[in-house]
Amino acid sequence: MDKIYNSKWISAKGSAGNAVFEYSKRFFARKKIKKATLCSSAIGVYTAKINGADAGVYPLAPGWTMYQYRVQYQKNDVSSLIKEGENVISLSVGRGFLCQAVSHDGTPRALLTGLDPSGTAVICSLDLLYDDGSTENISTDETWLVGQTKWRSCDMYDGDVYDSTFIPPSPVSASVLPAGTDTLVFQDGCEIGEHERFGVKEVILTPRGETVLDFGQNITGYLQIKVRATAGVCRLTYGEVLDKDGNFYRDNYRAAKAQTTIICGGGEFVFKPEFTFYGFRYVRVDEWNGELVPDDICAVAVYSNMERIGNFHCSHDGLNKLYENVIWGQKGNFLDVPTDCPQRDERMGWTGDAQVFSSCAAKNFDVLRFFEKWLSDMRACQKDDGRIPVVVPSYWARTSAAWSDACVIIPYNLYMQYGDERIISDNYDMMRRWIDYLRNNFDDYIADKRHFGDWLALDVPDEYSGKTPKEFIAVAFCARSTKLFIEMSKILGKECEKYSEFYDFCRDVIRRDFSDESAYQASHGDSSLFTQTYYVLRLSFGLYDSDGERAELSEKLNDMVLSCGTHLTTGFVGTPYLLFALSDNGYVKTAYSLLLRKEYPSWLYQVSRGATTMWEHWDGIKENGDLWDEKMNSFNHYAYGSVGDWMYSVMAGIKPTRAGYGEVVFEPAVDERISSVSASIKTPHGTLISKWEICAHDVKFTFTVPENVPASAVIFGEKYKLSAGENVIDVKLQ
Ligand code: BGC
């Protein structure tokens, strides 16, 4: 067991506000060092230095967890940093993710016993192994000092204030908290890393006379700046878009100030935030003391280290850009926790958003470890009665259909993608307790007015929840989660009869209350049941009794889409399944028409408006250039990026018929409006590649299959057996 478990949590006395505090200790290395290992963690986000050099802790460590129950610690080899004689170790900590988002949850709980509600804390253990085999340990305790730093303020929403002229008063003794170390867990998620760097693409002088830097890509991260200013202030404000007049716009950040202030005393130094991050493409230069040299500034994308496993390319530039935006949506919102958005005063682990995007996310990148860690936090914040909150780490105690169901749907999607049964067994108890909650509280749960509904659907103008009745969505998701839970129970060989009964019961409720227009009208006084999302859920969740009923539902969905001018009206709940519901039921052409539509509302509409990430609203920027209400208008929200799943699974047609692609079928859907498609997914069994190209009246398909993976292709209804390696099939275009 690492000795950090015997260390003590230390803190600055009283409230830390938003300032960063540095905890330090001088120590003496008596002999030549053979190996030195640092285990460290914090409540807040921290950096660690030995003799002023970076000790290798990743950016924004220790990540964001349910700190009340789980705090990750990091372990780094620091052998090269320690010298014989006197050394100093220091840990600096800012509040980081510890803004208001962490501590709510209905039942405020101390994050650590004895910690001031606005306080931060650190813990570490440095193990020295000398050349002669003897050892020594330096751990946080009452002998450590704590002092103020030049980081006068750092906040996840408001940004940072760095005063290079500030001379901190002498440090004082740190106080030891009466907290135990049983919440410490070794780093279980992906580490966070710095990735792409973007130089200033354009310096814009806006009509309002402001100087704005454009980095060309909406990212999550921060700026690295070589500051050469003379004494004075540099102040920068972050934004995602320009308004229709070309002016800098940031009202959609709501209460998040998202600002960097650097107070300079002259002289050159490199500035880079260490305790916060921003979501931005543009930066307004509010004050700049000295000459602004664009080459001195670059934007650094910061997100969890995930291996890229999926790729997609086709002959349509707009779709390629859309796909790239899906990837950037994921990069920008997979910063330790799957967030809704990275810029406004939110940036939280919304379960519904993660649920709808998870299948696509798991194809783009290997996200198994990323989600395993987040699901551990989900388990930690499940309520005693089984409820799963809508945000993890939790914020509110409330639940919602499609959001709380993330606890079942995400493990299932990960299992299908990676074939690792552990994701089911680790989360089995959480899923069972959630389904039990649904069984035990069915009537109240269904009737709960606080379900989010088909969030941001277009079928009710200017409203958030869409037209599809919330009760229907709730019953449909009860059925969906229960069905997947039964499937996963069978995989683990668990008894699940009572859950099959509950599933049948949900089906009966759909049949009885949500199938017949006149019955629905009679009981609810309106006929708003039949929306695109209604048909999509019935089809995608298998909520029909016969092939005839399925055909009828599909036809109605198709008619509904065509009769409104071939466009979607779906929100967060219906959109991820919409194209599948059409293409799986004989309406491939309509699905393609929706995907290829450029006019509002559509995926390509935002591409045509210059989007570099996915928008939260179909009409984030309206056709007349006006922006959607600033109350809820993110330009980096991955939910509608779930369409990437259809690109892999239907356009390229790569489908696992056994979990983890242990067996696979290629079933690409060809449409003449696209002349070629190429996609690949690296699976646990090797890389699968699917390509097709229309050449005159033929289509040439090329499928690459790894060794030992039984594979077949279905082309225009015809089945082909495939062998390992490359398979080329030429077929007449139909
Ligand atoms: C978030 C969403 C989230 C929703 C709940 C919003 O504030 O940004 O993405 O799912 O609330 O409906």
Side-chain angles (χ1 to χ4, degrees), residues 254 340-341 344 346 350 352-353 403 452 455 572 616 632 637:
R254 306 193 304 210
D340 54 338
C341 56
R344 67 179 177 223
E346 199 148 5
W350 280 97
D353 305 44
W403 271 250
F452 293 119
W455 190 247
F572 277 31
E616 177 175 27
M632 188 82 76
H637 235 75

Side-chain angles (χ1 to χ4, degrees), residues 311-313 647-648 652 654 677-681 688-691:
N311 281 287
F312 174 91
H313 190 82
M647 294 174 155
Y648 290 112
I654 306 174
V677 166
S678 160
S680 65
I681 301 178
L688 300 164
I689 308 173
S690 169
K691 293 183 187 175

Side-chain angles (χ1 to χ4, degrees), residues 50-66:
I50 291 177
N51 299 323
D54 185 350
V57 171
Y58 65 80
L60 305 171
W64 189 7
T65 50
M66 283 293 284

Side-chain angles (χ1 to χ4, degrees), residues 174-209:
S175 45
V176 170
L177 297 175
T181 54
D182 52 340
T183 48
L184 286 174
V185 292
F186 182 62
Q187 175 74 31
D188 55 3
C190 301
E191 297 190 349
I192 300 165
E194 291 188 351
H195 297 272
E196 295 86 343
R197 283 167 183 252
F198 296 88
V200 176
K201 199 173 154 210
E202 196 186 343
V203 180
I204 302 168
L205 187 64
T206 69
R208 219 181 269 144

